[in-house]
Amino acid sequence: MKKYVKMRFNADIENVTFARGTVASFLINEDLTLNEMNEIKTIVSEAITNAIVHGYSEDATKEVDFEIILENKILTLIVEDKGIGIEDVAKAREPLFSTKLETERAGLGFTIMEIFSDELKIESELGKGTKVIAKKSIK
């Protein structure tokens, strides 16, 4: 059976905590280890923070779409913004690359998402936004 939730919230950095709590609640009955749950919450944190900080430059009047899908023990997390987009996705995936180094961003968001995901897809178009799709098998 497919379980899912889809939501939209304003691009306020405080909503990262809300999204982490939402995914934890969604998966509460899946008997995950603490480590597995922390990895999933970290993927969510990184993807939503990227949308807010990089996609929208922390403009809380903008909106982030967040979708959680669980089907056949495959968790799919989708985070989408309609922000500035990414000029070079391959470059953005490189460890330590950041467009916001002046704000002490480490440039590890995509790297961390890749480590904790089984599959990470990034779709982006300049001026139209970015969609991050992370998949993870759960036991």
Side-chain angles (χ1 to χ4, degrees), residues 55-72:
Y56 292 133
S57 295
E58 299 188 56
D59 180 352
T61 66
K62 306 295 184 182
E63 296 177 326
V64 176
D65 290 322
F66 179 41
E67 191 169 355
I68 309 164
I69 304 163
L70 182 60
E71 186 171 25
N72 300 321

mmCIF file of all heavy atoms in Angstrom, residues 55-72:
data_model
loop_
_atom_site.group_PDB
_atom_site.id
_atom_site.type_symbol
_atom_site.label_atom_id
_atom_site.label_comp_id
_atom_site.label_asym_id
_atom_site.label_seq_id
_atom_site.Cartn_x
_atom_site.Cartn_y
_atom_site.Cartn_z
ATOM 1 N N GLY A 55 17.523 28.647 -2.904
ATOM 2 C CA GLY A 55 16.469 28.865 -3.893
ATOM 3 C C GLY A 55 15.773 30.203 -3.736
ATOM 4 O O GLY A 55 15.459 30.874 -4.721
ATOM 5 N N TYR A 56 15.541 30.591 -2.496
ATOM 6 C CA TYR A 56 14.747 31.793 -2.227
ATOM 7 C C TYR A 56 15.486 32.890 -1.473
ATOM 8 O O TYR A 56 14.880 33.906 -1.111
ATOM 9 C CB TYR A 56 13.498 31.428 -1.428
ATOM 10 C CG TYR A 56 12.481 30.615 -2.166
ATOM 11 C CD1 TYR A 56 11.916 29.488 -1.590
ATOM 12 C CD2 TYR A 56 12.043 30.978 -3.438
ATOM 13 C CE1 TYR A 56 10.945 28.753 -2.241
ATOM 14 C CE2 TYR A 56 11.079 30.241 -4.105
ATOM 15 C CZ TYR A 56 10.530 29.132 -3.498
ATOM 16 O OH TYR A 56 9.563 28.409 -4.144
ATOM 17 N N SER A 57 16.751 32.696 -1.162
ATOM 18 C CA SER A 57 17.514 33.678 -0.364
ATOM 19 C C SER A 57 16.755 34.082 0.897
ATOM 20 O O SER A 57 16.687 35.250 1.262
ATOM 21 C CB SER A 57 17.860 34.906 -1.203
ATOM 22 O OG SER A 57 18.731 34.556 -2.254
ATOM 23 N N GLU A 58 16.155 33.086 1.532
ATOM 24 C CA GLU A 58 15.431 33.241 2.790
ATOM 25 C C GLU A 58 14.265 34.224 2.710
ATOM 26 O O GLU A 58 13.963 34.921 3.679
ATOM 27 C CB GLU A 58 16.393 33.581 3.925
ATOM 28 C CG GLU A 58 17.432 32.488 4.139
ATOM 29 C CD GLU A 58 18.290 32.691 5.357
ATOM 30 O OE1 GLU A 58 17.735 32.812 6.464
ATOM 31 O OE2 GLU A 58 19.525 32.701 5.186
ATOM 32 N N ASP A 59 13.591 34.256 1.568
ATOM 33 C CA ASP A 59 12.394 35.078 1.392
ATOM 34 C C ASP A 59 11.182 34.265 1.849
ATOM 35 O O ASP A 59 10.673 33.420 1.119
ATOM 36 C CB ASP A 59 12.251 35.490 -0.080
ATOM 37 C CG ASP A 59 11.031 36.351 -0.337
ATOM 38 O OD1 ASP A 59 10.187 36.529 0.577
ATOM 39 O OD2 ASP A 59 10.900 36.846 -1.474
ATOM 40 N N ALA A 60 10.735 34.520 3.072
ATOM 41 C CA ALA A 60 9.662 33.735 3.680
ATOM 42 C C ALA A 60 8.307 33.941 3.017
ATOM 43 O O ALA A 60 7.345 33.264 3.371
ATOM 44 C CB ALA A 60 9.576 34.036 5.175
ATOM 45 N N THR A 61 8.203 34.842 2.054
ATOM 46 C CA THR A 61 6.940 34.992 1.324
ATOM 47 C C THR A 61 6.804 33.918 0.239
ATOM 48 O O THR A 61 5.727 33.740 -0.314
ATOM 49 C CB THR A 61 6.816 36.380 0.662
ATOM 50 O OG1 THR A 61 7.815 36.507 -0.360
ATOM 51 C CG2 THR A 61 6.965 37.492 1.687
ATOM 52 N N LYS A 62 7.891 33.204 -0.048
ATOM 53 C CA LYS A 62 7.881 32.132 -1.050
ATOM 54 C C LYS A 62 7.447 30.819 -0.398
ATOM 55 O O LYS A 62 7.349 30.729 0.827
ATOM 56 C CB LYS A 62 9.262 31.969 -1.686
ATOM 57 C CG LYS A 62 9.835 33.239 -2.268
ATOM 58 C CD LYS A 62 9.014 33.730 -3.423
ATOM 59 C CE LYS A 62 9.685 34.956 -4.051
ATOM 60 N NZ LYS A 62 8.937 35.502 -5.140
ATOM 61 N N GLU A 63 7.208 29.797 -1.227
ATOM 62 C CA GLU A 63 6.708 28.527 -0.697
ATOM 63 C C GLU A 63 7.568 27.342 -1.137
ATOM 64 O O GLU A 63 8.094 27.314 -2.246
ATOM 65 C CB GLU A 63 5.275 28.295 -1.172
ATOM 66 C CG GLU A 63 4.307 29.327 -0.640
ATOM 67 C CD GLU A 63 2.897 29.152 -1.155
ATOM 68 O OE1 GLU A 63 2.719 28.725 -2.319
ATOM 69 O OE2 GLU A 63 1.965 29.423 -0.382
ATOM 70 N N VAL A 64 7.659 26.375 -0.236
ATOM 71 C CA VAL A 64 8.370 25.125 -0.482
ATOM 72 C C VAL A 64 7.340 24.002 -0.484
ATOM 73 O O VAL A 64 6.492 23.939 0.407
ATOM 74 C CB VAL A 64 9.433 24.863 0.613
ATOM 75 C CG1 VAL A 64 10.099 23.516 0.411
ATOM 76 C CG2 VAL A 64 10.454 25.992 0.658
ATOM 77 N N ASP A 65 7.426 23.118 -1.472
ATOM 78 C CA ASP A 65 6.584 21.921 -1.525
ATOM 79 C C ASP A 65 7.379 20.750 -0.968
ATOM 80 O O ASP A 65 8.555 20.573 -1.307
ATOM 81 C CB ASP A 65 6.160 21.610 -2.957
ATOM 82 C CG ASP A 65 5.175 22.627 -3.502
ATOM 83 O OD1 ASP A 65 4.307 23.087 -2.742
ATOM 84 O OD2 ASP A 65 5.263 22.950 -4.696
ATOM 85 N N PHE A 66 6.736 19.950 -0.139
ATOM 86 C CA PHE A 66 7.388 18.801 0.491
ATOM 87 C C PHE A 66 6.445 17.610 0.399
ATOM 88 O O PHE A 66 5.284 17.695 0.779
ATOM 89 C CB PHE A 66 7.709 19.133 1.950
ATOM 90 C CG PHE A 66 8.371 18.027 2.726
ATOM 91 C CD1 PHE A 66 9.366 17.240 2.171
ATOM 92 C CD2 PHE A 66 8.014 17.797 4.038
ATOM 93 C CE1 PHE A 66 9.984 16.245 2.902
ATOM 94 C CE2 PHE A 66 8.632 16.810 4.791
ATOM 95 C CZ PHE A 66 9.613 16.029 4.212
ATOM 96 N N GLU A 67 6.964 16.515 -0.116
ATOM 97 C CA GLU A 67 6.167 15.304 -0.284
ATOM 98 C C GLU A 67 6.933 14.122 0.296
ATOM 99 O O GLU A 67 8.144 13.989 0.092
ATOM 100 C CB GLU A 67 5.887 15.084 -1.764
ATOM 101 C CG GLU A 67 4.864 14.030 -2.055
ATOM 102 C CD GLU A 67 4.425 14.021 -3.513
ATOM 103 O OE1 GLU A 67 4.847 14.904 -4.283
ATOM 104 O OE2 GLU A 67 3.671 13.113 -3.874
ATOM 105 N N ILE A 68 6.213 13.275 1.013
ATOM 106 C CA ILE A 68 6.764 12.057 1.597
ATOM 107 C C ILE A 68 5.931 10.896 1.068
ATOM 108 O O ILE A 68 4.702 10.909 1.193
ATOM 109 C CB ILE A 68 6.681 12.075 3.138
ATOM 110 C CG1 ILE A 68 7.259 13.362 3.718
ATOM 111 C CG2 ILE A 68 7.357 10.844 3.729
ATOM 112 C CD1 ILE A 68 6.871 13.602 5.173
ATOM 113 N N ILE A 69 6.599 9.908 0.490
ATOM 114 C CA ILE A 69 5.901 8.746 -0.071
ATOM 115 C C ILE A 69 6.580 7.491 0.458
ATOM 116 O O ILE A 69 7.814 7.390 0.439
ATOM 117 C CB ILE A 69 5.970 8.746 -1.610
ATOM 118 C CG1 ILE A 69 5.406 10.040 -2.184
ATOM 119 C CG2 ILE A 69 5.240 7.523 -2.179
ATOM 120 C CD1 ILE A 69 5.796 10.302 -3.623
ATOM 121 N N LEU A 70 5.801 6.533 0.910
ATOM 122 C CA LEU A 70 6.322 5.238 1.315
ATOM 123 C C LEU A 70 5.545 4.167 0.564
ATOM 124 O O LEU A 70 4.324 4.069 0.706
ATOM 125 C CB LEU A 70 6.191 5.039 2.827
ATOM 126 C CG LEU A 70 6.743 3.725 3.375
ATOM 127 C CD1 LEU A 70 8.244 3.586 3.084
ATOM 128 C CD2 LEU A 70 6.486 3.623 4.874
ATOM 129 N N GLU A 71 6.271 3.414 -0.244
ATOM 130 C CA GLU A 71 5.639 2.342 -1.015
ATOM 131 C C GLU A 71 6.642 1.207 -1.182
ATOM 132 O O GLU A 71 7.778 1.433 -1.606
ATOM 133 C CB GLU A 71 5.196 2.863 -2.385
ATOM 134 C CG GLU A 71 4.403 1.867 -3.184
ATOM 135 C CD GLU A 71 3.778 2.459 -4.441
ATOM 136 O OE1 GLU A 71 4.297 3.462 -4.965
ATOM 137 O OE2 GLU A 71 2.770 1.912 -4.891
ATOM 138 N N ASN A 72 6.214 0.002 -0.831
ATOM 139 C CA ASN A 72 7.065 -1.191 -0.946
ATOM 140 C C ASN A 72 8.409 -0.998 -0.246
ATOM 141 O O ASN A 72 9.455 -1.365 -0.768
ATOM 142 C CB ASN A 72 7.272 -1.569 -2.411
ATOM 143 C CG ASN A 72 5.965 -1.878 -3.114
ATOM 144 O OD1 ASN A 72 5.079 -2.487 -2.526
ATOM 145 N ND2 ASN A 72 5.844 -1.439 -4.345
#
